Amino acid sequence: MSMRFDLEQVRVVKVAYEADLMRKANVVGVGIGLRQQGGKPTGELAIVVSVTRKVPLSQVAPDDVIPRELEQIPVDVQAVGELRALHSR
Amino acid sequence: MITELMSRMKRVKGTYVYELLSKQNVVGVGLGYKISRGVSTGELSLVVSVAHKVTPSALAAEDLVPRALDGIKTDVVETGVLRAFELGPRDRWRPVVPPGVTIGHYRITAGTVGCLVRRGGAVFILSNNHVLCDCNQGQEEDAILQPGPADGGTTDDRIATLADCVPLDFGTAPPECSIAQWSAGLLNYVAGAFGSHHRLQAVKQTEGVNRVDAALARPLSPDLASNEILYIGVPAGVGTATLETEVQKTGRTTGHTQGAITQVDATLRIDYNGPTALFTGQLVAGPMSQPGDSGSAVLDMDRRVVGLLFAGSNAATIINPIDEVLSALSVELAL
């Protein structure tokens, strides 16, 4: 599990693509984190795309598909649900 | 049979309860099954709770608990000193309000007191705009209640007034939850004064970008608010969180919880009960919050404040980095 890219390298690519990613269906966030596998961090830096829910690829319009990597940097899609301001309901 | 015995025991208890409570160490009297060597004997007895058991020789004769009273056996049980339930994060706190407990602008539900900050000689309570400033709609001097309205706070519970607020930019969203509402009102007033009949529209064409959801309240008196965060303590200073930093907070709804930072430099779209606001440069942690925890200070495990909690879901917690919050409000942490 080598860290192939450092934080700055990931940041440059993230900034270049985040506006495109934020326009895709279900996407609510783009950040920098550790790629997860089976719910555990792998130690590898990734662009983390937060989605309200994961949808089978067959049900996603081509424009809304999230690439598996961007300029060789892994893209990790994580389901977070609805992100809301946390005042009491 | 049992009911007959119970009513007889209640009579005996009624006869002796105050005499028993006047004895040294006795903190309670009740009815229950006698316990012998940790096991219930099934025999009803008068249970006398004591702060601590002592040998009979160490007690004055009048402080001894008789083995039986009017034919009913007694059972002396050690319970320690009984205390009133301690106040929790949703309670009314007086005379001093600690960070980590319920608070809110009088028109909202409830959020959390974050921490104390200082500007010059003045000390303020830090929390979110949507907790203290009603999503931009609060006016300076508005009442801030502790507990927040959702926890029963009323005008009698005013502890502070709204002092300052970083406006939230909702971009093209309808302006009910936006500063644009009253700033456009002001501009219209100015336009009217100059004879213009044009009315300014409080609508912007671009999606706004936010860095923080933050506001300040001025305590009614300086000693009304403490900087000792409930269940955590006094902050050790300001810190910076990065990936995998372990963090903690005390909040109105979930109390003291821990988590770890899972994302840095995150751009996120946050739902404010309808309108959404875009945030950049945020920290993301795992699930460690629920509605009502907004405004909690987030600290690392060395008690350095690293952020201000403001949003989340069942899977994630969203945090403004504290340096952004402090500089947006031109304040420093009060230590």
Side-chain angles (χ1 to χ4, degrees), chain B residues 91-140:
Chain B
D91 289 320
R92 182 182 202 271
W93 284 75
R94 296 296 184 281
V96 178
V97 178
V101 305
T102 173
I103 196 170
H105 181 277
Y106 73 94
R107 279 196 303 262
I108 75 140
T109 50
T112 299
V113 178
C115 59
L116 295 191
V117 294
R118 184 184 300 279
R119 185 193 284 155
V123 169
F124 299 93
I125 289 168
L126 173 66
S127 186
N128 296 139
N129 174 327
H130 75 272
V131 171
L132 298 178
C133 192
D134 187 22
C135 277
N136 301 338
Q137 297 187 84
Q139 307 276 351
E140 208 170 326

Side-chain angles (χ1 to χ4, degrees), chain A residues 7 11 14 18 22 27-34 41 45 48 50 78-89, chain B residues 109-110 130 243-244 252 262-273 278 289 291-294 310-313 315:
Chain A
L7 206 59
R11 203 185 302 269
K14 179 231 164 209
E18 72 179 349
M22 288 295 287
V27 172
V28 291
V30 179
I32 300 169
L34 298 177
L45 279 176
V48 178
S50 298
Q78 297 178 8
V80 293
E82 307 281 348
L83 295 176
R84 296 176 186 279
L86 286 184
H87 49 304
S88 168
R89 300 279 177 260
Chain B
T109 50
H130 75 272
L243 284 177
E244 300 193 290
R252 171 266 183 195
T262 57
Q263 291 179 50
V264 295
D265 198 15
T267 299
L268 301 149
R269 197 173 286 120
I270 307 295
D271 186 335
Y272 280 77
N273 277 356
L278 192 69
S289 57
D293 288 334
S294 261
F310 79 106
S313 68

